[in-house]
Amino acid sequence: MSYVAVSVFVMAAVTYLIRMLPLTLMRQKINSVFIRSVLAYVPYAVLTAMTLPFILYSTSSMISAAIGLAVAVILALMEQSLITVALGASAAVFIAELFV
């Protein structure tokens, strides 16, 4: 077998194990309110951890990225639509890049 085929097989096996072990080990419903609430927030925390560094390093200046992030957070807190938040943040970064 080639190196690529072995690598793909090993990655598939590891991915399968990671997804199947919790299903086989945790057969009963989780009754702890604390653990259930922690598990409910895990996807948001992971998404934030993956997205935030990309946001801050995606422009030529971290200042313009921070301005765009701030505008996005403000628009999101004002309960604007996703397209409004994205366009507002993009426009803020574009304007900030002109001055920075």
Side-chain angles (χ1 to χ4, degrees), residues 34-49:
F34 176 73
I35 293 176
R36 289 178 67 186
S37 66
V38 167
L39 291 175
Y41 288 110
V42 166
Y44 302 111
V46 171
L47 183 63
T48 303

Side-chain angles (χ1 to χ4, degrees), residues 2-14:
S2 71
Y3 175 76
V4 174
V6 171
S7 299
V8 169
F9 178 74
V10 169
M11 286 187 290
V14 168

Side-chain angles (χ1 to χ4, degrees), residues 6-91:
V6 171
S7 299
V8 169
F9 178 74
V10 169
M11 286 187 290
V14 168
T15 301
Y16 180 76
L17 283 175
I18 289 172
R19 293 173 189 234
M20 289 307 296
L21 275 178
L23 292 175
T24 57
L25 296 177
M26 303 293 292
R27 292 182 184 237
Q28 58 189 358
K29 184 177 179 182
I30 298 172
N31 293 325
S32 171
V33 176
F34 176 73
I35 293 176
R36 289 178 67 186
S37 66
V38 167
L39 291 175
Y41 288 110
V42 166
Y44 302 111
V46 171
L47 183 63
T48 303
M50 290 171 44
T51 307
L52 194 61
F54 180 74
I55 291 171
L56 294 177
Y57 294 108
S58 63
T59 64
S60 62
S61 169
M62 195 177 289
I63 295 171
S64 63
I67 291 171
L69 178 63
V71 168
V73 167
I74 290 169
L75 289 174
L77 289 174
M78 294 171 53
E79 298 181 358
Q80 298 297 314
S81 68
L82 182 60
I83 191 72
T84 305
V85 172
L87 290 175
S90 298

